[in-house]
Amino acid sequence: MMLEINDLEVHYGAVRAVRGVSLVAAAGRVALVLGANGAGKSSTLRTAAGFLHGESGSIVVDGEEMRGKRAHAMVRRGVVLVPEGRKIFAPLTVEENLRLGGYRASRRDVSRAIGEVYEQFPILGERRKGMAGLLSGGEQQMLAFGRALMSKPRVMLMDEPSMGLAPSIVQTVMDGARSIADSGVAVLMVEQNAEAALRIADDVSVMTRGSITWTGVAAEASLHAVHAVLGDTAL
Ligand code: ATP
């Protein structure tokens, strides 16, 4: 399973937010994109998820061109976005949030999928009758992962999962993302928190003002090198 983004351009009027970006996400791996505010990371993910169409370039899922297809078509092909800010439904319970993620499946499949999410993230099982809005930030991020998992994705696009979280919980959330990749999902994660994300990533790219300016293997990418590439646009 593979998601390939090739030479993608995303513009907002005269603003060229994404300029010729190419990225690959493969099953079982975490591909990390680091970049400062406004680098074009969210625009890239939102286009890959079908919320934006982009101007040119390609979004290829398992060999099939998908750029311009809508989000529900992407979900059917196994590509799902975990949005920035999590976007959980605060007044609903944990379990109701998960059910919403599985709206396409039969009732029996939904129950099975919920059970699998609780196995992977036991804290969600413990809190299943609790209101999602009362969860801690880290738990809400786990819920956002869990809700995305309900559609049995093969590619998960994760938009800044560490955003707004206490430092003590960031690594737990990163470990959650790693465990999702280890279960065979292709993860494409964008982040500003280089230190935490590099620990769990396989491949890393740095995005600066709409372009990929550096790529490498995460295990060999020192924080120092990454910051040097980012230069003034420090993370
Ligand atoms: P952040 O970490 O702040 O989400 P990012 O790397 O995800 O940043 P994008 O949100 O993709 O970056 O934004 C890239 C550029 O496109 C920025 O210059 C931003 O101001 C601009 N931009 C984003 N969304 C819009 C929009 N709807 N209309 C106009 N310009 C936009």
Side-chain angles (χ1 to χ4, degrees), residues 12 15 17-18 35-44 84 159-160 190 192:
Y12 302 99
V15 178
V18 178
N37 261 334
K41 307 181 301 298
S42 294
S43 300
T44 302
E84 185 175 323
D159 197 346
E160 296 202 32
V190 309
Q192 296 197 47

Side-chain angles (χ1 to χ4, degrees), residues 169-193:
I169 202 69
V170 167
Q171 209 59 55
T172 308
V173 165
M174 290 296 156
D175 291 345
R178 179 73 248 175
S179 80
I180 289 169
D182 289 343
S183 73
V185 174
V187 172
L188 178 59
M189 176 192 289
V190 309
E191 258 299 340
Q192 296 197 47
N193 188 331

Side-chain angles (χ1 to χ4, degrees), residues 67-91:
R67 189 175 68 79
K69 298 272 196 292
R70 302 229 209 122
H72 63 86
M74 298 305 289
V75 172
R76 258 203 306 275
R77 289 305 308 263
V79 180
V80 64
L81 175 70
V82 184
E84 185 175 323
R86 315 184 236 290
K87 306 285 194 289
I88 57 152
F89 297 95

Side-chain angles (χ1 to χ4, degrees), residues 213-225:
T213 46
W214 191 81
T215 56
V217 176
E220 292 164 11
S222 72
L223 262 185
H224 181 73

Side-chain angles (χ1 to χ4, degrees), residues 22-41:
S22 299
L23 292 164
V24 172
R29 295 180 77 78
V30 176
L32 170 66
V33 180
L34 296 170
N37 261 334
K41 307 181 301 298

